[in-house]
Amino acid sequence: NTGNGHSLYWCSAGLNICTSGSATSCEECLLIHPKCAWCSKEEFGSTKFITSRCDFVENLITNGCAGELETPKSSINIVENLPLSSKGSSLTLSDVTQIMPQKISLNLRPGDKTSFRVQVRQVEDYPVDLYYLMDLSLSMKDDLDNIRNLGTKLAEEMRKLTSNFRLGFGSFVDKNISPFSYTAPRYQNNPCIGYKLFPHCVPSFGFRHLLSLTDKVDRFNEEVQKQKVSRNRDAPEGGFDAILQAAVCKEKIGWRKEASHLLVFTTDDVPHIALDGKLGGLVQPHDGQCHLNEANEYSASNQLDYPSLALLGEKLAENNIHLIFAVTKAHYILYKNFTALIPGTTVEILHQDSNNIIQLIVKAYNSIRSKVELTVWDNPEDVSLTFTATCQDGLLYPGLRKCEELQIGDTVSFEVSVEARSCPAGNTSHSFTIKPAGFRDTLEVEIAYSCTCGCMKQMEWNSSKCSGNGTYTCGLCECDSGYLGSKCECEEGESGNMYQNMCREAEGKPVCSGRGECSCNQCICYKSEFGRIYGLFCECNDFSCARYKGVLCSGHGDCHCGECKCHAGYIGDNCNCSTETNRCISNDSQMCSGRGNCVCGKCQCTEPGAFGETCEKCPTCPGACSTKRDCIECMLHNSGGLADNQTCPKHCKDEIITRVDVLKTDDQHSVLCVYPVNDCVMKFTYSELPSGKSNLTVLKKPECGSAPNALTILLAVVGIILLIGIVLLVVWKLLVTIHDRREFARFQSEPYFYTSDATRTGGLWTIA
């Protein structure tokens, strides 16, 4: 390859990505890779080889195509870039800017990534609209009592943060249908009938909008004091219905465009979610629209199912609303999980009687204002975006689109990289929006695509450059029907088929082996950066032979038409097998130390346990100890056969000898060797090191036994004889006793010993 760094980089794996793409037009070339360019010059390349018009810029210039290159790049144009504001509350709120730039246009070439920087600032004293949405089920009665003067106290605290604060109020219970509420006739006007703890309450309702956003906080107190609790049948509440209506009914709620929108949702129980409505026969999904009637009540409560989390997240983000879940401790984990599914949402723990609601709201507001998170709307499928955040610590955070722990007035920036993966059908344009979560400010991004070449505007119909039989465009001829050839100089039909067949090696094979073009009756081979393509039918090349470790013919042969021709001294399909045996000769002049075979110039050990370049290492082989003994005698005592013939340095160059007083023999990786020395015994251990050397550990002195003590031996012999004599006497006495007892027993058993004729005279018996 004759290109510079870019070409070398993309060819490092042995492949030029531009030329290997086989692009036949300028548009196809642009889609291969953003580094590829197209040469539109008419006379380009040689007559013997076809030089690819699609290549790296450096290669095309080297091949003589300077000045007529099609190589569009991705570009950015900033359309609107107003500076960031420092303060929010002013006479012209529409002039407040919290994101910069506000509008840009991109011209993207597929694969060519480009980037731009977005800056975001939370301005000081920004207007705040806060809508308080309260659960008025029976369990919230004590909470209602505690917030009757909430408006005044909350306004005092919020005005420490902003001089422009408005407050609104709404309430909810649940759908007034079974099984969610009590629907029997006796409960129509008072669902608390029969409930001893609290016998009077108002009928259940879905959602009521009670007070539009206003800076007259006394009205908030008045509305709260008018409210009475209700009673539903099951534990979950219909709060998600209320959240959606508060978000989408912008006109009735009174959300200002130029303000931060806070929706405080207070409850002490879990919510109903999508599909729960089927229990009451509601099968129609929520449509995400506003359904407040003239009385400001949710009119579709008994017709539509509860909204899904996805729909809630979409509508809250669409209307720039920060949702604050103020829930009791028992349900904190559940609502914390909801925040992961609904962007821009926070959750705080509400005391059982809501006495911490003001501190909770202020804390949540400060938490919201302490972070900036970018969201993307309407991102085209073929466009990929990556973000890198630069927060207040000045460090880069790749893949992150959020910064936290910010102070009011801090500015953070995000590097946004944009890449088009392909060209859209019809070369249409697209757009998407980048918006900080909960902000009204947005960055509009318009995208156009560089998928066509400028040279196509100079198209020549029936051009003389194409023999009058085709259209000349971007340096190539597109032949009319019935004509062939690079200049459309040949006709199809019988003669055309003859031309094509003369460019085939055999019937059914590709024209010019797929490596060239047939110009009437002759193959013109493609030019390749890898080497030469040649042959009558372009069937041969000098780069498609077998490789070894990525090297063609192992570097020991030449490639001829797909076959390696090995140099002298090498054999094999890829010439990687050496016929030399010098490296297989061991120090003792044997082939592989007599423990293996020499294959392709390297020893392959066949003796079990043998290893090393020449199989010289073999701790378990017979004779291993004697070989190491020779080195010990030679190196330590300058004796032995190796010392005599002065071959010690050669044979023992890999031996490391260590002398010790006490030899450890319990190492399982070492071999213990013993040999006699002058009526004594010399011991050493032998092990192989990972470096290939041998470690020999030798006793400093041979082990010699001491002379025997004559008196000890004499006493031992006498003692043994006496012991043997005593044992024999005991055995003899035992045998005699046994024999006598047997004889006496036999004597007593004889018949004459008991006859009746026997008489006793004096002290004797007489037998008559």
Side-chain angles (χ1 to χ4, degrees):
N1 196 311
T2 57
N4 64 8
H6 286 303
S7 301
L8 292 174
Y9 175 80
W10 289 105
C11 296
S12 61
L15 180 68
N16 183 321
I17 195 170
C18 299
T19 58
S20 64
S22 303
T24 59
S25 67
C26 183
E27 290 90 339
E28 290 181 7
C29 179
L30 298 186
L31 290 174
I32 294 175
H33 193 272
K35 296 291 184 182
C36 298
W38 179 267
C39 177
S40 60
K41 187 176 180 180
E42 180 181 358
E43 299 298 330
F44 177 68
S46 69
T47 56
K48 294 183 178 180
F49 296 99
I50 296 177
T51 304
S52 175
R53 291 180 176 271
C54 184
D55 206 337
F56 296 112
V57 172
E58 296 82 356
N59 295 346
L60 293 176
I61 293 175
T62 302
N63 291 328
C65 192
E68 297 186 54
L69 297 174
E70 295 289 334
T71 174
K73 302 292 183 183
S74 295
S75 60
I76 300 175
N77 179 37
I78 298 178
V79 179
E80 187 176 351
N81 193 30
L82 299 176
L84 295 174
S85 303
S86 58
K87 192 161 181 152
S89 292
S90 63
L91 295 177
T92 55
L93 288 174
S94 58
D95 295 337
V96 176
T97 303
Q98 298 185 95
I99 187 170
M100 184 178 74
Q102 296 80 43
K103 187 174 184 179
I104 64 174
S105 63
L106 304 178
N107 198 317
L108 300 180
R109 175 180 174 179
D112 187 19
K113 185 180 294 186
T114 188
S115 60
F116 56 88
R117 184 168 292 276
V118 179
Q119 290 184 302
V120 182
R121 177 188 295 164
Q122 292 261 31
V123 300
E124 299 178 12
D125 197 23
Y126 197 68
V128 175
D129 287 347
L130 188 150
Y131 192 80
Y132 193 89
L133 188 57
M134 185 175 182
D135 177 4
L136 285 187
S137 59
L138 190 58
S139 58
M140 293 287 286
K141 181 182 182 304
D142 55 345
D143 301 74
L144 181 61
D145 294 336
N146 282 333
I147 69 164
R148 295 195 184 277
N149 295 314
L150 174 66
T152 304
K153 297 178 182 178
L154 181 58
E156 289 176 359
E157 291 296 325
M158 291 301 296
R159 284 185 177 128
K160 296 177 183 178
L161 305 173
T162 175
S163 61
N164 194 335
F165 175 69
R166 298 199 310 166
L167 190 60
F169 181 61
S171 61
F172 67 90
V173 182
D174 206 346
K175 297 181 182 295
N176 193 19
I177 59 175
S178 181
F180 311 119
S181 297
Y182 292 94
T183 57
R186 65 188 293 251
Y187 296 116
Q188 286 298 314
N189 296 321
N190 182 12
C192 292
I193 290 178
Y195 189 63
K196 295 181 180 180
L197 295 177
F198 196 80
H200 301 287
C201 58
V202 299
S204 179
F205 57 91
F207 166 64
R208 283 178 183 162
H209 168 52
L210 301 169
L211 177 65
S212 298
L213 291 163
T214 177
D215 55 1
K216 297 178 176 58
V217 295
D218 291 338
R219 291 191 56 196
F220 179 90
N221 297 339
E222 293 172 3
E223 287 297 332
V224 172
Q225 291 172 6
K226 295 177 185 177
Q227 302 311 307
K228 295 182 180 180
V229 294
S230 181
R231 184 188 182 196
N232 58 325
R233 191 168 193 173
D234 59 350
E237 320 291 5
F240 280 8
D241 270 342
I243 291 175
L244 187 63
Q245 293 304 299
V248 299
C249 299
K250 296 179 288 186
E251 290 77 14
K252 292 203 171 188
I253 302 297
W255 297 115
R256 291 177 293 178
K257 184 177 180 181
E258 298 83 11
S260 290
H261 302 160
L262 305 183
L263 178 56
V264 180
F265 176 84
T266 62
T267 185
D268 64 349
D269 221 318
V270 299
H272 279 297
I273 59 176
L275 301 182
D276 283 358
K278 289 188 175 182
L279 296 173
L282 305 181
V283 296
Q284 184 176 348
H286 205 293
D287 57 7
Q289 301 299 316
C290 177
H291 293 283
L292 291 185
N293 57 23
E294 294 181 357
N296 286 332
E297 292 190 357
Y298 178 35
S299 59
S301 177
N302 296 345
Q303 287 82 44
L304 300 178
D305 191 8
Y306 298 97
S308 65
L309 291 171
L311 182 60
L312 275 183
E314 176 187 340
K315 295 304 177 181
L316 289 170
E318 188 178 294
N319 294 285
N320 309 321
I321 295 174
H322 291 286
L323 176 60
I324 301 172
F325 286 126
V327 299
T328 53
K329 187 176 181 180
H331 304 295
Y332 176 81
I333 297 300
L334 173 65
Y335 284 90
K336 184 67 175 177
N337 293 334
F338 286 158
T339 64
L341 303 173
I342 306 176
T345 303
T346 58
V347 59
E348 299 291 344
I349 296 178
L350 180 70
H351 292 175
Q352 289 292 341
D353 57 359
S354 296
N355 61 8
N356 69 326
I357 187 64
I358 295 179
Q359 295 86 345
L360 183 152
I361 293 173
V362 172
K363 180 182 177 182
Y365 176 73
N366 288 329
S367 174
I368 291 169
R369 296 280 281 168
S370 69
K371 59 187 175 184
V372 170
E373 181 176 5
L374 297 186
T375 61
V376 180
W377 292 71
D378 303 322
N379 185 23
E381 291 184 0
D382 292 331
V383 175
S384 63
L385 301 177
T386 55
F387 293 81
T388 300
T390 304
C391 301
Q392 282 305 105
D393 55 8
L395 300 178
L396 299 179
Y397 296 94
L400 196 66
R401 59 172 78 179
K402 179 169 68 173
C403 286
E404 297 180 309
E405 299 182 3
L406 304 176
Q407 300 294 326
I408 300 298
D410 287 345
T411 303
V412 294
S413 63
F414 301 87
E415 189 79 16
V416 185
S417 297
V418 188
E419 180 182 357
R421 291 187 288 267
S422 62
C423 287
N427 199 25
T428 57
S429 60
H430 290 123
S431 65
F432 64 91
T433 302
I434 294 178
K435 178 168 134 358
F439 285 50
R440 70 172 179 85
D441 303 72
T442 61
L443 167 59
E444 300 292 334
V445 182
E446 295 181 348
I447 303 176
Y449 298 88
S450 294
C451 296
T452 58
C453 300
C455 56
M456 295 185 65
K457 299 177 181 178
Q458 303 172 0
M459 197 176 293
E460 299 179 16
W461 304 93
N462 300 321
S463 174
S464 59
K465 299 173 184 176
C466 303
S467 307
N469 301 319
T471 302
Y472 180 79
T473 176
C474 296
L476 294 177
C477 286
E478 295 181 2
C479 299
D480 296 337
S481 178
Y483 293 91
L484 302 169
S486 60
K487 302 293 183 182
C488 305
E489 69 273 23
C490 302
E491 292 188 37
E492 286 186 352
E494 187 174 338
S495 59
N497 290 334
M498 178 186 68
Y499 294 143
Q500 294 289 311
N501 289 333
M502 292 181 68
C503 292
R504 301 179 193 271
E505 187 177 7
E507 185 70 27
K509 288 199 172 184
V511 174
C512 299
S513 304
R515 300 172 178 172
E517 292 183 359
C518 182
S519 181
C520 296
N521 59 0
Q522 183 178 3
C523 284
I524 301 177
C525 301
Y526 293 136
K527 184 178 180 180
S528 173
E529 61 177 308
F530 304 119
R532 189 167 67 95
I533 299 176
Y534 59 95
L536 186 62
F537 305 102
C538 304
E539 73 277 13
C540 293
N541 65 65
D542 60 1
F543 55 83
S544 293
C545 292
R547 298 172 183 265
Y548 179 69
K549 294 184 178 179
V551 180
L552 190 68
C553 297
S554 307
H556 304 306
D558 299 318
C559 182
H560 292 284
C561 206
E563 183 179 353
C564 285
K565 303 296 183 183
C566 299
H567 299 159
Y570 291 91
I571 58 175
D573 293 339
N574 52 15
C575 304
N576 70 322
C577 187
S578 174
T579 58
E580 295 183 0
T581 60
N582 293 340
R583 296 178 61 187
C584 296
I585 304 299
S586 57
N587 291 334
D588 57 2
S589 301
Q590 294 188 74
M591 187 69 68
C592 299
S593 304
R595 298 169 180 153
N597 302 318
C598 188
V599 179
C600 294
K602 294 182 180 180
C603 283
Q604 291 186 355
C605 304
T606 57
E607 183 77 23
F611 61 97
E613 288 189 4
T614 58
C615 305
E616 73 279 9
K617 313 290 184 184
C618 187
T620 59
C621 292
C625 284
S626 61
T627 302
K628 302 302 177 184
R629 170 188 172 182
D630 292 341
C631 285
I632 291 174
E633 292 181 345
C634 167
M635 297 180 70
L636 296 183
H637 310 295
N638 195 26
S639 61
L642 297 180
D644 295 340
N645 57 25
Q646 298 182 346
T647 58
C648 186
K650 176 182 177 183
H651 284 80
C652 304
K653 63 181 184 348
D654 292 333
E655 314 298 342
I656 300 174
I657 299 178
T658 305
R659 305 183 73 178
V660 296
D661 293 320
V662 179
L663 188 67
K664 295 181 179 180
T665 59
D666 55 352
D667 187 357
Q668 60 180 356
H669 301 293
S670 300
V671 177
L672 177 64
C673 298
V674 181
Y675 64 93
V677 178
N678 298 329
D679 297 329
C680 297
V681 175
M682 175 61 81
K683 296 181 180 181
F684 67 91
T685 57
Y686 154 49
S687 62
E688 296 293 342
L689 300 175
S691 61
K693 295 182 178 294
S694 300
N695 186 28
L696 304 179
T697 305
V698 188
L699 282 174
K700 290 183 178 179
K701 296 181 180 180
E703 291 183 352
C704 299
S706 58
N709 189 310
L711 179 60
T712 302
I713 295 175
L714 178 61
L715 292 175
V717 171
V718 172
I720 292 172
I721 293 173
L722 289 174
L723 180 61
I724 293 173
I726 292 171
V727 171
L728 291 176
L729 286 174
V730 171
V731 172
W732 174 79
K733 180 62 176 174
L734 180 63
L735 293 175
V736 169
T737 301
I738 294 172
H739 179 266
D740 288 347
R741 289 183 177 181
R742 285 179 177 175
E743 289 295 323
F744 181 72
R746 189 174 60 206
F747 172 74
Q748 287 181 330
S749 63
E750 291 180 356
Y752 63 83
F753 188 76
Y754 299 104
T755 59
S756 58
D757 296 330
T759 62
R760 181 174 183 181
T761 304
L764 300 173
W765 289 92
T766 303
I767 301 174

